[in-house]
Amino acid sequence: MHQVADYLDHQNFGPIIADRIWNAWWKDAGLHLSDITHHLTEMVDDRSLPTALVAHDESGYLGSAFLIDCDLEERQQYKPWVAAVWVEESKRKRGVGKSLVEAAAKTAADLGYRVSYICCHQELEAFYTAFGWSVLERDVGPHKLSVLSFEA
Ligand SMILES: CC(C)(COP(=O)(O)OP(=O)(O)OC[C@H]1O[C@@H](n2cnc3c(N)ncnc32)[C@H](O)[C@@H]1OP(=O)(O)O)[C@@H](O)C(=O)NCCC(=O)NCCS
């Protein structure tokens, strides 16, 4: 049975989150591991955004997700964005990803944002639409991403 919690209370998972996010996305974008480490410090400062959520169980880290101001340069009018949703490969397909995304959208709603946004490759749309997200647009930007929204 997994739990989703505020990263603020689980900062011991910082190095593993940084490693996973860097390897999955930031490395190929030419960013350094230290850039994520810095980003994680922003998740625990006084500002409400950005923030991060961690899924864990008795075995430790299962996955994480961010809630940030903007994840897509071409769509700065939307805020906030659920981003960097990651579940450990051996822990997938048991509801952890869904829990993380739902918790991030709830965090957004608690902060007063009725609508949350996410961008993904078209093949992942079904993961989000299965629990209430709607496709707003497709083929946005150079990576041809889909933009989805969730209304709390
Ligand atoms: C995408 C990801 C977060 C899903 O995490 P997960 O813990 O496996 O997801 P869940 O178990 O909560 O899945 C919920 C449902 O979505 C489905 N699903 C999971 N991955 C899917 C995918 N790639 N495409 C379509 N449906 C998917 C599951 O089958 C499940 O359906 P069910 O309840 O009918 O069985 C995970 O595969 C991952 O970390 N991938 C690598 C990073 C990534 O691509 N992140 C998303 C960036 S936009």
Side-chain angles (χ1 to χ4, degrees):
M1 184 66 182
H2 65 269
Q3 294 186 329
V4 177
D6 194 325
Y7 169 64
L8 191 64
D9 302 318
H10 293 275
Q11 294 180 46
N12 54 314
F13 292 136
I16 194 168
I17 297 173
D19 175 83
R20 300 308 192 260
I21 302 308
W22 187 67
N23 277 296
W25 295 289
W26 288 40
K27 186 167 64 173
D28 288 345
L31 291 154
H32 296 281
L33 186 59
S34 59
D35 296 325
I36 304 198
T37 308
H38 172 72
H39 195 39
L40 284 169
T41 65
E42 298 176 327
M43 304 286 177
V44 294
D45 68 16
D46 288 343
R47 291 169 299 164
S48 52
L49 292 180
T51 190
L53 294 149
V54 182
H56 62 97
D57 67 7
E58 60 289 343
S59 71
Y61 173 82
L62 301 176
S64 43
F66 295 166
L67 185 69
I68 64 175
D69 288 289
C70 186
D71 198 29
L72 193 57
E73 208 175 308
E74 292 80 8
R75 291 295 177 272
Q76 312 239 7
Q77 66 269 43
Y78 298 144
K79 177 183 171 180
W81 295 75
V82 180
V85 183
W86 174 264
V87 176
E88 293 288 77
E89 276 183 42
S90 63
K91 309 290 183 181
R92 291 180 187 168
K93 307 276 182 195
R94 56 177 85 167
V96 176
K98 180 181 173 189
S99 294
L100 279 165
V101 174
E102 288 184 333
K106 179 171 187 318
T107 300
D110 289 346
L111 290 171
Y113 299 102
R114 200 172 46 86
V115 182
S116 302
Y117 300 88
I118 204 159
C119 59
C120 67
H121 291 290
Q122 195 170 331
E123 58 269 22
L124 256 184
E125 286 176 2
F127 166 59
Y128 298 105
T129 57
F131 52 97
W133 288 72
S134 307
V135 178
L136 282 182
E137 289 181 81
R138 290 199 172 111
D139 298 328
V140 180
H143 299 293
K144 300 202 167 300
L145 295 174
S146 299
V147 177
L148 291 85
S149 67
F150 179 84
E151 197 169 327

